[in-house]
């Protein structure tokens, strides 16, 4: 453990350094609103890979995969790992389609309002903003808990420092600053994650002793045919796949990619690289059950590794945590800014581009207040994500089916989504309840809208088909 004063100084110092990288990079760039929110066609495939990988590896990877493994076993770890890579793979054809239909687009909601109208747009905007809020809150919560493990710093103080520094460079420099700092943060994340893995290996004395203890005390966690493990793996796969499609940060990078080829390569490689990281982090949960079966599963990784960590690496956990959380939190903040700017431009066309940038900055600062408040409470990171996942799952099929079907209407898509939400939430477990109904809630939330869309579409054969050429009205903001 570090003292309060030393940990606070390290936390402030590393946070300011990361923020300065983004601010100094942005000072020499006079960004237009278009560059601020989408950085169109500016990133080659390598930059896209690094940015997406940094965004994927949030601070939650130190908590959620391991915690899931403690009750779902190896099946949950595999499902979590495959699920984490699946949204990026699914977005390759969807991103190609979006770039083809709306080459000057900016946000997913922009597509939704032109394809389905205001009711579906309003529903999608609420769900996407809630998901981004939960994503940002979960990241800050995870970092606050990490610092609390190594020093007696209240969660609220850590949350305030990390939020302030992340807001500073992201609201100042926009998406380009976010992508640039992703590259810097990856230089910190990769070596420190490898070192952390090495220390865990030392703590458990390798694989064989851990497997032997699990076979003696909890053999079901290693059994791939275990029903609980299979259900857990499917739950995480479905939840993460459908949710990742609605993260506006991913859609920003669809348009930021230099070309469709760069986009495809960037999303493919980053998805393949994400899977082994999540898999290894999940295995730490199995080590926790083997060596500390009566401990707190929400901090499984750190329960295993803290006894063997030297003081110098305890200090390095601070920049590791900051790099992980900032690389994901800045993406969420940038995503929120882009949604606000684009939608405000449509609602208030008289606003100048600089006024829209200021408006988006004010909004994210105001949003940071409830994010800070909830983060200071230290709620379960895993449960927060699962709730947001459910909401996005109900919207997935109706939204993306409209990219290909000309017959589905806005009313049908909206009603189908609402039906899925109601039934999914009805089955969704409470925070302190068993997770047995998770898979059923996600499947119901996802499949009911799909069934209703296909059913209702059969009654619209006489309705005028949607003309995809109508998307031509979506133009670059700086040309409006």
């Amino acid at each position: 453990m570090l003292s309060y004063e030393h940990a606070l100084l390290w936390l402030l110092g590393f946070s300011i350094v990361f923020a300065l990288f983004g601010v100094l990079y942005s000072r020499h760039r006079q960004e237009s609103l278009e560059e601020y929110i989408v950085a169109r066609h500016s990133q080659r495939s390598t930059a896209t890979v690094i940015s997406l990988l940094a965004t994927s590896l949030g601070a939650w990877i130190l908590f959620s995969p391991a915690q899931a493994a403690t009750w779902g076993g190896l099946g949950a770890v595999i499902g979590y790992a495959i699920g984490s890579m699946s949204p990026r793979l699914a977005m390759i054809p969807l991103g190609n389609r979006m770039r083809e239909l709306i080459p000057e687009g900016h946000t997913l909601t922009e597509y939704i309002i032109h394809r389905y109208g205001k009711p579906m747009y309003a529903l999608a905007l609420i769900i996407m903003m809630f998901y981004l809020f939960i994503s940002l809150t979960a990241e800050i919560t995870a970092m606050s808990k990490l610092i609390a493990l190594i020093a007696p710093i209240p969660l609220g103080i850590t949350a305030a420092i990390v939020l302030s520094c992340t807001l500073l460079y992201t609201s100042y420099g926009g998406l380009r600053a976010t992508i640039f700092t992703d590259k810097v943060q990856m230089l910190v994340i990769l070596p420190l994650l490898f070192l952390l893995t090495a220390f865990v290996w030392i703590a458990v004395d390798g694989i064989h002793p851990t497997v032997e203890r699990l076979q003696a005390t909890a053999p079901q966690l290693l059994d791939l045919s275990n029903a609980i493990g299979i259900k857990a793996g499917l739950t995480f796969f479905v939840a993460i796949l459908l949710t990742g499609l609605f993260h506006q940060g991913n859609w920003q990078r669809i348009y930021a990619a230099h070309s469709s080829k760069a986009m495809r390569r960037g999303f493919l490689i980053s998805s393949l690289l994400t899977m082994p990281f999540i898999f290894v982090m999940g295995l730490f949960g199995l080590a926790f059950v083997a060596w500390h079966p009566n401990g707190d599963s929400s901090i499984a990784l750190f329960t295993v590794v803290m006894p063997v960590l030297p003081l110098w690496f305890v200090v390095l956990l601070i920049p590791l945590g900051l790099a992980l959380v900032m690389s994901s939190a800045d993406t969420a903040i940038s995503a929120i800014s882009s949604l606000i700017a684009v939608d405000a431009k449509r609602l208030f066309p008289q606003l100048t581009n600089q006024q829209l940038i200021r408006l988006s900055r004010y909004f994210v600062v105001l949003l940071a207040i409830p994010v800070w408040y909830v983060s200071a409470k230290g709620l379960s990171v895993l449960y927060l994500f699962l709730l947001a996942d459910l909401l996005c799952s109900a919207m997935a099929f109706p939204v993306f089916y409209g990219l290909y079907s000309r017959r589905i209407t806005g009313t049908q898509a909206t009603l189908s989504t609402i039906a899925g939400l109601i039934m999914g939430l009805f089955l969704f477990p409470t925070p302190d309840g068993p997770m047995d109904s998770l898979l059923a809630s996600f499947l119901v939330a996802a499949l009911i809208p799909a069934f209703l869309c296909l059913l209702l579409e059969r009654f619209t054969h006489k309705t005028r088909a949607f003309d995809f050429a109508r998307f031509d009205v979506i133009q670059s903001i700086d040309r409006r």
Side-chain angles (χ1 to χ4, degrees):
M1 290 283 288
L2 300 176
S3 68
Y4 178 94
E5 294 79 10
H6 286 124
L8 189 61
L9 285 174
W10 285 116
L11 177 63
L12 280 169
F14 286 123
S15 298
I16 291 171
V17 167
F18 281 128
L20 283 176
F21 273 110
V23 170
L24 293 175
Y25 172 80
S26 303
R27 281 188 62 191
H28 304 291
R29 308 188 67 87
Q30 297 297 320
E31 303 288 12
S32 64
L33 178 60
E34 184 80 4
E35 288 290 298
Y36 184 81
I37 64 175
V38 81
R40 192 181 308 281
H41 300 162
S42 64
Q43 305 299 312
R44 301 286 182 178
S45 56
T46 301
T48 301
V49 169
I50 295 173
S51 182
L52 287 170
L53 185 58
T55 299
S56 300
L57 302 179
W60 60 271
I61 71 170
L62 302 178
F63 295 89
S64 298
Q67 184 181 8
T70 61
W71 56 270
L74 195 57
V77 175
I78 295 173
Y80 217 132
I82 297 176
S84 296
M85 67 176 285
S86 60
R88 304 285 165 74
L89 293 178
M91 288 191 73
I92 294 174
L94 294 176
N96 272 333
R97 183 65 171 166
M98 196 73 82
R99 285 174 64 109
E100 173 189 325
L101 293 178
I102 317 174
E104 298 293 338
H106 308 86
T107 67
L108 183 61
T109 55
E110 200 174 30
Y111 148 73
I112 292 173
I113 193 171
H114 284 86
R115 177 62 183 85
Y116 288 131
K118 293 181 180 179
M120 186 62 175
Y121 156 78
L123 183 61
L125 180 62
I126 292 171
I127 291 176
M128 289 180 66
M129 290 294 287
F130 177 73
Y131 169 54
L132 289 170
F133 170 81
I134 293 299
S135 178
L136 182 57
T137 301
E139 286 296 329
I140 302 300
T141 300
M143 184 62 195
S144 300
K145 286 185 174 182
L146 170 59
I147 295 299
L149 289 172
I150 62 178
I153 297 180
L155 301 181
I157 292 178
T158 300
I161 292 172
V162 177
L163 260 177
S164 299
C165 290
T166 308
L167 281 168
L168 178 63
Y169 73 84
T170 307
S171 61
Y172 180 64
L175 183 60
R176 276 188 179 270
T178 298
I179 293 175
F180 173 75
T181 53
D182 285 342
K183 301 172 185 177
V184 176
Q185 288 150 357
M186 281 303 297
L187 295 176
V188 175
I189 291 171
L190 290 178
L192 292 186
L193 276 183
F194 283 123
L195 275 175
L196 181 63
T197 302
F199 280 117
V200 173
W201 183 275
I202 294 171
V204 301
D205 196 26
I207 294 177
H208 295 298
T210 301
V211 172
E212 289 176 357
R213 291 178 71 94
L214 279 175
Q215 288 175 337
T217 59
Q220 73 279 3
L221 297 183
L222 297 174
D223 185 3
L224 289 178
S225 63
N226 179 33
I228 295 176
I230 293 173
K231 182 185 290 187
L234 288 173
T235 299
F236 289 116
F237 172 74
V238 173
I240 299 172
L241 166 62
L242 299 181
T243 304
L245 301 178
F246 290 96
H247 197 307
Q248 172 57 21
N250 289 332
W251 291 102
Q252 285 178 293
R253 285 157 178 78
I254 288 288
Y255 285 108
H258 179 264
S259 63
S260 294
K261 181 179 179 181
M263 183 274 292
R264 290 192 297 270
R265 292 181 63 185
F267 274 72
L268 175 61
I269 296 173
S270 65
S271 67
L272 295 176
L273 292 177
T274 298
M275 184 172 66
F277 283 99
I278 305 303
F279 182 77
V280 171
M281 294 297 110
L283 292 180
F284 296 158
L286 299 180
F288 164 82
V289 175
W291 297 94
H292 305 275
N294 298 318
D296 182 359
S297 64
S298 68
I299 53 172
L301 187 158
F302 297 98
T303 301
V304 172
V305 77
M306 288 298 285
V308 302
L309 288 185
L311 181 61
W312 61 268
F313 193 79
V314 172
V315 173
L316 290 180
L317 284 177
I318 298 176
L320 171 61
L322 285 171
L324 288 168
V325 69
M326 285 182 161
S327 62
S328 295
D330 60 11
T331 296
I333 293 170
S334 179
I336 294 168
S337 296
S338 68
L339 289 172
I340 297 303
V342 171
D343 291 333
K345 182 67 173 179
R346 183 173 54 255
L347 295 173
F348 308 104
Q350 72 277 11
L351 294 181
T352 66
N353 289 345
Q354 289 304 310
Q355 288 174 324
L356 290 169
I357 291 177
R358 285 197 296 271
L359 178 64
S360 66
R361 287 171 176 165
Y362 295 151
F363 185 88
V364 294
V365 170
L366 288 175
L367 182 66
I369 297 174
V371 168
W372 170 82
Y373 179 80
V374 177
S375 300
K377 299 294 183 181
L379 300 177
S380 169
V381 176
L382 180 60
Y383 188 82
L384 292 175
F385 270 116
L386 291 172
L387 179 59
D389 291 346
L390 179 82
L391 302 180
C392 294
S393 296
M395 196 168 54
F397 187 87
V399 166
F400 296 108
Y401 188 52
L403 281 172
Y404 303 94
S405 171
R406 297 176 181 270
R407 294 294 181 184
I408 187 72
T409 68
T411 300
Q412 294 166 352
T414 304
L415 292 176
S416 299
T417 300
I418 292 174
L421 282 174
I422 294 173
M423 294 304 297
L425 289 171
F426 177 76
L427 296 173
F428 196 70
T430 59
D432 55 350
M435 294 290 174
D436 297 344
S437 62
L438 261 181
L439 180 59
S441 65
F442 284 122
L443 290 177
V444 165
L447 295 178
I448 282 182
F451 172 78
L452 289 177
C453 281
L454 295 173
L455 178 65
L456 294 173
E457 187 186 30
R458 295 178 62 87
F459 297 100
T460 60
H461 59 280
K462 295 182 180 179
T463 303
R464 183 177 179 182
F466 179 82
D467 184 5
F468 288 129
R470 290 168 59 182
F471 288 130
D472 290 343
V473 300
I474 301 178
Q475 299 177 0
S476 167
I477 284 180
D478 291 334
R479 297 175 188 171
R480 294 179 184 178

